[in-house]
Amino acid sequence: MYQSRRTFLKSSASVTAASLLPVLPLAQAVSVNKSTSPPIRPAPGFELLIMATNWGFDGTVDEFCKAAKAAGYDGVEIWWPANSEAKQKEIGDAVKKHDLQLGLACTSSVAAYDANLNEFKAAVASAASNSLHKPLYINCHTGKDYFTFEQGMAFMDYTIALTEKTGMPIYHETHRSRLLYSAIVTKNFMDRLPKLRLNLDISHWCVVHNSLLAEIKDIVDQAIDRADHIHARVGHAEGAQVNDPRAPEWASALNAHLQWWDRIIARKKSRGERMTILTEFGPPDYMPTLPYTRQPVADQWAINVHMMNLLRERYLAH
């Protein structure tokens, strides 16, 4: 039956986040596979720290940190405001007040190569040297996907040298539109740079390669060995974020990601190293919305807290 746009808007507007929430408990039926890795007794030094994102949070940094602490997170990951001492202080004060660990994210948005590289270097250097609150790590959205390989090497060489100088872990994120947007390109950098370390946001590769990556397993294996940080978003062949990982229709995508993450955690446990994970399901337009109303189809904060609890139980239960 044909429904006019006016009628559709009227009926759709009545669908709110609150009206969607009652269906979520049904999604607990999603089948989560057990870890494919044998139980490992963690070596001394292993710790798992799960971080919250303020991406999509409507409030101040202090309010965000308060909410993250109350939800049970160990820390927060926040973009570093390299050009604002006031905002830097706001971040430092909030994480200290709420007793949270801190991860910092850095990038440059300038289109031209030289300017992008200079802005990137300044941001990373500022984050690494700040005295307000020492971060656990720096996560980089590095360069642009249209930079050449040799141009990209300048970013990588700079951060590897900075890590050696300062001891600050610096990771490069596998992210669309950035240097490491695809598995193939990332392999070229990994082959050239044995000291390159990754933040594996593998959801991006799922959509870039239009699959759950079975055909490039050897490159995924190589990236897993280089990963020290995870952005725990679940992607699929057609997008970088499923609408709700608790929904049973996404069980195969969720379990594929869990199996990748299992192997990183197993390595960290066996070596007695720290592992950091950011639960990073995002707001619209990462989160699908209803047409015309832009009403999110699920609760972003609740999904991220669900992922935090799932991962903590999975990786600290034994």
Side-chain angles (χ1 to χ4, degrees), residues 134-177:
K134 184 179 179 180
L136 297 174
Y137 59 84
I138 297 171
N139 175 54
C140 299
H141 274 213
T142 313
K144 298 286 189 179
D145 56 6
Y146 51 82
F147 291 168
T148 68
F149 178 75
E150 292 305 325
Q151 287 174 330
M153 283 291 295
F155 291 84
M156 306 303 184
D157 287 340
Y158 175 77
T159 56
I160 290 171
L162 188 61
T163 291
E164 292 178 343
K165 178 181 177 181
T166 65
M168 176 62 61
I170 301 176
Y171 311 136
H172 296 270
E173 184 172 348
T174 57
H175 196 289
R176 288 171 300 153
S177 85

Side-chain angles (χ1 to χ4, degrees), residues 197-198 200 223-229 264 267-268 275:
R197 307 308 298 177
L198 301 179
L200 191 64
I224 285 172
D225 288 340
R226 297 295 191 94
D228 292 318
H229 183 47
I264 300 171
R267 169 169 53 84
K268 291 290 190 175
M275 183 69 216

Side-chain angles (χ1 to χ4, degrees), residues 132-300:
L132 294 172
H133 195 89
K134 184 179 179 180
L136 297 174
Y137 59 84
I138 297 171
N139 175 54
C140 299
H141 274 213
T142 313
K144 298 286 189 179
D145 56 6
Y146 51 82
F147 291 168
T148 68
F149 178 75
E150 292 305 325
Q151 287 174 330
M153 283 291 295
F155 291 84
M156 306 303 184
D157 287 340
Y158 175 77
T159 56
I160 290 171
L162 188 61
T163 291
E164 292 178 343
K165 178 181 177 181
T166 65
M168 176 62 61
I170 301 176
Y171 311 136
H172 296 270
E173 184 172 348
T174 57
H175 196 289
R176 288 171 300 153
S177 85
R178 303 299 179 180
L179 286 174
L180 306 186
Y181 70 95
S182 81
I184 311 305
V185 171
T186 304
K187 176 175 173 52
N188 293 333
F189 284 106
M190 290 190 293
D191 288 347
R192 177 78 72 89
L193 298 166
K195 294 182 179 180
L196 176 66
R197 307 308 298 177
L198 301 179
N199 165 23
L200 191 64
D201 190 341
I202 204 166
S203 66
H204 289 279
W205 285 0
C206 291
V207 62
V208 167
H209 296 287
N210 195 216
S211 70
L212 291 177
L213 310 179
E215 295 179 346
I216 52 172
K217 181 180 180 300
D218 58 332
I219 305 178
V220 172
D221 290 346
Q222 188 178 4
I224 285 172
D225 288 340
R226 297 295 191 94
D228 292 318
H229 183 47
I230 294 169
H231 276 186
R233 183 194 305 106
V234 175
H236 58 107
E238 307 298 338
Q241 178 172 304
V242 302
N243 52 26
D244 191 327
R246 299 167 292 186
E249 61 265 34
W250 297 118
S252 47
L254 171 62
N255 285 313
H257 285 70
L258 287 170
Q259 288 171 21
W260 291 321
W261 301 336
D262 287 348
R263 293 169 55 197
I264 300 171
I265 300 297
R267 169 169 53 84
K268 291 290 190 175
K269 283 185 174 181
S270 66
R271 296 181 180 179
E273 297 174 348
R274 173 189 293 149
M275 183 69 216
T276 52
I277 302 178
L278 178 73
T279 60
E280 207 202 17
F281 276 78
D285 288 321
Y286 263 72
M287 174 69 69
T289 61
L290 297 176
Y292 301 109
T293 67
R294 291 190 55 75
Q295 177 62 54
V297 300
D299 184 324
Q300 177 203 4

Side-chain angles (χ1 to χ4, degrees), residues 52-73 75-76 78 89-100 301:
T53 178
N54 65 341
W55 182 26
F57 185 88
D58 185 18
T60 66
V61 172
D62 182 77
E63 290 167 343
F64 163 63
C65 288
K66 180 179 180 180
K69 187 70 174 182
Y73 282 100
V76 295
I78 298 178
K89 186 176 185 303
E90 183 182 12
I91 293 170
D93 289 346
V95 293
K96 289 176 183 177
K97 175 181 176 181
H98 298 287
D99 190 26
L100 291 165
W301 184 266

Side-chain angles (χ1 to χ4, degrees), residues 84-137:
S84 174
E85 291 185 3
K87 292 181 179 178
Q88 293 173 14
K89 186 176 185 303
E90 183 182 12
I91 293 170
D93 289 346
V95 293
K96 289 176 183 177
K97 175 181 176 181
H98 298 287
D99 190 26
L100 291 165
Q101 300 282 1
L102 177 64
L104 294 177
C106 291
T107 191
S108 172
S109 58
V110 184
Y113 166 70
D114 288 337
N116 188 292
L117 177 60
N118 290 335
E119 185 175 85
F120 175 85
K121 287 181 176 180
V124 175
S126 172
S129 64
N130 93 87
S131 59
L132 294 172
H133 195 89
K134 184 179 179 180
L136 297 174
Y137 59 84

